[in-house]
Amino acid sequence: MREPAALALLLALACAAARAEGPGLGRSAAPSEIARFDISVGPDGVGLPPGSGTAREGRMVYEARCVACHGEKGEGKPNDRLVGGVGALAGQKPATKTVGSYWPYATTVFDYVRRAMPFDAPKSLRDEDVYAVTAYLLHLNGVIGEDATVDAATLPKIEMPNRNGFAPFAPGD
Amino acid sequence: MKRRRRTPTPDLEQAAGAGLMHRRAFIAGAAIAGAVAAEPARAEGLAVEPWMTAPGSPFTGYGQPSRFEAGVARVFANPPNAPGSGAARTPLHRLQGMVTPNGLHFERSHSGVPDIDPDKHRLLIHGLVARPLVFSLETLSRYPMESQIAFIECGGNSAQLYQTEALDADAQRLHGLVSCAEWTGVRLSTLLDEAGVDPTALWVLAEGGDAAGMSRSVPIAKAMGDALVALYQNGERIRPSNGYPMRLLLPGYEGNMQVKWLRRLKLVETPAMTRDETAKYTLLRPDGSALQFVFAMEVKSVITQPSPELSLKEPGLYEISGLAWSGAGRIVKVEVSADGGRSWAEAHLQQPILSKALTRFRLGWRWDGGPAVLQSRATDEEGNVQPTREALLARRGARALYHFNGIASWGVAASGRVTHVYA
């Protein structure tokens, strides 16, 4: 564990050095401003907002806002397929990469839907709706039950089927 | 057709099989060919043309290419239901030199091009810093600036070459997701130093101000290294399609990480595992595992002239020309083959040869009118050599989708038609 005093000293030194080096034209950001701007969600769940949802609730959101692009059950017509292909990534034939088969973290589903979906009106869903539709997609992929609650505490703990499917690149790969 | 053959001096001019020439021999040969061409094949008379007999157009506020060059344009396709999501490709085969004109720079957008008011745009730096900072375009513009001439290549460039059959397409459609520009802006390390980076910060999450809020995690070493917050592209403000009013420039890294319409940099301990760094820009291997965080684009080259749509009119002298680049640094050598890789000749590298920039290569070629297969193979200063397509596929499999850097081949038919082939 880091000594708080040592950390403070280190940061103070960093600040002093910075002021000496640069023009210093950036203004300080207030915590409330940062909170408004910061929409990212980490795999540890940091950044997830209050609220919750279940697949049963998410089905209505999906059918109202997602079905036109992703199909009745996430089969992906005409846009990205969201469901299926679990456990079938190996081989030579084209793989079905979906939320269930490929995405390693459930937090990414929440993060991406909240920032970018639906395509024609991103950021228009309430956080509760994003939780619910995330739960619905996980349910369609057989990852969670229809009435399992998805929220800031449970989402990071969900074991995605391809959680261990990624290796960091190294030269020669 | 009447062919005039000079007395061959193969030892002096031949650099490799199928007519590849040493550079000096090419220039000497061209002089002789010019003399031949001076014999009038048909009467075409010199005339006073209409544009010489009346004043031309008045000034315009922003210059445009000649109307006769209207065909030199980007090509693009959109997925259904998602206009603005897709890619527009640079017409590599219609351009020369190493810098891409701004209007022809390739574009990959995930949710259209936002119409950002520069006075309202803000860049926030926060997370594991001593002092979170906000910058307007005006304040950023007052910082010391610097330029880097750097290529940007989409991770998915040349992806069609992973396919089993050689797609009948030209250099633009196959390889047009790479461009090069002079980018000018503020060193990211200057801004991060002012914010005071906490030693626990190992990654910087970069986020765009577009509808998709595109976001990628960047290693702190790159952010503190040669990264720029770029404000200008080839001298003018960055075009909206390339990130107006500011984008992240990470020289040599895959395009997707060089976040356009940059609005936020969050310093964090671990990668955010965003959709683009998990679901998208990862390389699936035959065993079902995927490579993640493949940052630098690898050494690569493409012959742009001749290439499909630029058919050869008649046997004789031509210059083979193309582009080479590497995310690892400078290009030190480009070899060209006209016989499908059986023999190679070293091409001339045109100055300037810059780190992580496109480098133009050139080589003389005497086409004898027979079938030929043209290839180029680049080597960078780290000693990386562009692999054959077969070697790349053997290493990575055919489903990696991203980061294709294998040797590409153009087939030349006896008719002079040039097509994409696997050889």
Side-chain angles (χ1 to χ4, degrees), chain B residues 269-327:
Chain B
E269 276 184 62
T270 53
M273 299 296 176
T274 68
R275 181 249 201 182
D276 281 272
E277 62 205 26
T278 55
K280 293 297 165 183
Y281 295 84
T282 46
L283 282 56
L284 183 60
R285 297 186 286 193
D287 69 356
S289 69
L291 294 172
Q292 189 177 25
F293 303 130
V294 191
F295 300 129
M297 300 310 293
E298 292 129 306
V299 65
K300 185 167 170 179
S301 66
V302 172
I303 292 171
T304 54
Q305 291 105 9
S307 66
E309 293 195 11
L310 304 176
S311 294
L312 306 179
K313 304 293 183 213
E314 59 187 9
L317 286 169
Y318 290 88
E319 185 178 62
I320 294 172
S321 175
L323 296 164
W325 63 96
S326 170

Side-chain angles (χ1 to χ4, degrees), chain B residues 337-354:
Chain B
S337 174
D339 54 16
R342 280 190 293 280
S343 64
W344 297 88
E346 195 167 333
H348 169 72
L349 301 184
Q350 175 181 297
Q351 296 289 339
I353 302 163
L354 303 173

